[in-house]
Amino acid sequence: MLEIKGLHKNYKVGRDIIKAVDNVSFNVEKGDSIMIFGHSGSGKTTLLSIIGGLTKPDSGIIKYGDTELWSLTDNDLSGFRNRRINFIFQFSSLIPTLTVLENVILPTSFNKAADKHRGIDAKDLLFMVGLQDKLSAYPSQLSGGQQRRAAIARAFINNPEIILADEPTGDLDEETEAEMLALFRKMNVENGITFLIVTHNTDIASQCNKHFVMNRGILTPKDMG
Ligand SMILES: Nc1ncnc2c1ncn2[C@@H]1O[C@H](COP(=O)(O)OP(=O)(O)O)[C@@H](O)[C@H]1O
Ligand SMILES: [Mg+2]
């Protein structure tokens, strides 16, 4: 479903050139749950944001089926992102003036009417992440972990083909983290949603079917034994 070939991304900082992503290639099959490990600064976030159509690579190809992501016009690119991809960022960004329920429903308003009811109901999603009592609360009234859980619920609302998750459980306590991982597993196994998860949490490894490690921009397969 997704073909990534020869990606490069350099950043210029003063006189230095940082090879954030250095000749990265791999394929993603539908239903894969892929984990990318790596120290901080190894290029994981940059790679994910290129794959998600947020950061333009210097060179390389990203093909979702027959669609070459970085050949799309800006307009088509944002439409494609909204319909096909979803993100769970390192730092969740709920809209402060909307309630939790409104935040979760929001992405459906950018979609065609016909697509609206494909996904799981927003209230069901909030129940699944344990926020059924917080539907009409505002983000500022939630703890950091609760905000993160709301952002996780929102990522599933449009029934995306693929979820790109950047250290998705980073600021959660252990128990909540285990619950969120169980939710990812359920979405992967029962709903066929493909996952690309960046993390340094090895607990996630057992529920992923492919593992990579990133080091100074270079991605290599990792044998989990
Ligand atoms: N916008 C940017 N401008 C300059 N350097 C950047 C930028 N974004 C990331 N970098 C650098 O690229 C490298 C990879 O960063 P990043 O992708 O955030 O790694 P990770 O997510 O693995 O911590 C780091 O050295 C970082 O400092
Ligand atoms: Mg990062």
Side-chain angles (χ1 to χ4, degrees):
M1 77 177 274
L2 171 58
E3 190 184 341
I4 294 156
K5 235 189 201 158
L7 285 190
H8 288 269
K9 177 74 186 179
N10 292 342
Y11 289 114
K12 236 184 176 163
V13 179
R15 292 185 172 186
D16 296 330
I17 290 184
I18 297 169
K19 291 185 167 184
V21 173
D22 189 0
N23 198 22
V24 166
S25 304
F26 64 104
N27 290 329
V28 182
E29 313 293 338
K30 183 167 168 43
D32 269 349
S33 180
I34 296 179
M35 168 167 197
I36 300 176
F37 290 102
H39 294 299
S40 89
S42 58
K44 306 181 301 297
T45 295
T46 306
L47 176 61
L48 219 56
S49 79
I50 294 172
I51 294 171
L54 297 173
T55 298
K56 194 170 167 55
D58 297 333
S59 59
I61 288 174
I62 298 173
K63 271 176 93 174
Y64 284 85
D66 293 332
T67 306
E68 181 9 71
L69 192 66
W70 286 104
S71 312
L72 296 173
T73 62
D74 285 355
N75 212 8
D76 289 347
L77 180 62
S78 64
F80 185 86
R81 264 199 315 256
N82 193 50
R83 271 179 287 112
R84 306 275 297 269
I85 311 172
N86 228 319
F87 298 92
I88 301 172
F89 286 114
Q90 217 159 347
F91 303 102
S92 63
S93 46
L94 299 172
I95 299 194
T97 54
L98 297 180
T99 65
V100 167
L101 183 61
E102 288 165 349
N103 263 284
V104 172
I105 291 171
L106 184 66
T108 65
S109 61
F110 301 113
N111 253 349
K112 292 196 309 268
D115 288 344
K116 267 188 187 168
H117 296 291
R118 282 180 320 155
I120 299 172
D121 180 73
K123 286 182 187 164
D124 289 343
L125 280 168
L126 283 162
F127 189 89
M128 288 162 104
V129 299
L131 291 177
Q132 61 276 16
D133 300 337
K134 303 287 183 189
L135 301 183
S136 31
Y138 288 89
S140 63
Q141 298 170 311
L142 303 184
S143 71
Q146 288 171 331
Q147 291 182 27
R148 171 53 62 102
R149 284 189 269 151
I152 288 173
R154 185 182 53 187
F156 293 106
I157 191 71
N158 274 339
N159 204 22
E161 286 176 33
I162 186 162
I163 298 245
L164 306 177
D166 195 356
E167 310 201 9
T169 61
D171 51 5
L172 299 178
D173 58 79
E174 267 177 46
E175 193 182 337
T176 313
E177 177 177 15
E179 285 170 10
M180 291 308 105
L181 291 184
L183 176 65
F184 284 13
R185 188 185 194 102
K186 182 179 160 72
M187 290 298 183
N188 180 236
V189 174
E190 292 177 18
N191 296 50
I193 297 177
T194 305
F195 281 85
L196 193 54
I197 305 175
V198 158
T199 183
H200 31 238
N201 174 1
T202 48
D203 291 350
I204 299 181
S206 63
Q207 70 183 58
C208 293
N209 68 329
K210 293 180 186 168
H211 307 90
F212 292 94
V213 63
M214 199 151 187
N215 190 14
R216 292 171 186 263
I218 297 171
L219 189 78
T220 45
K222 184 176 166 72
D223 186 1
M224 298 303 292

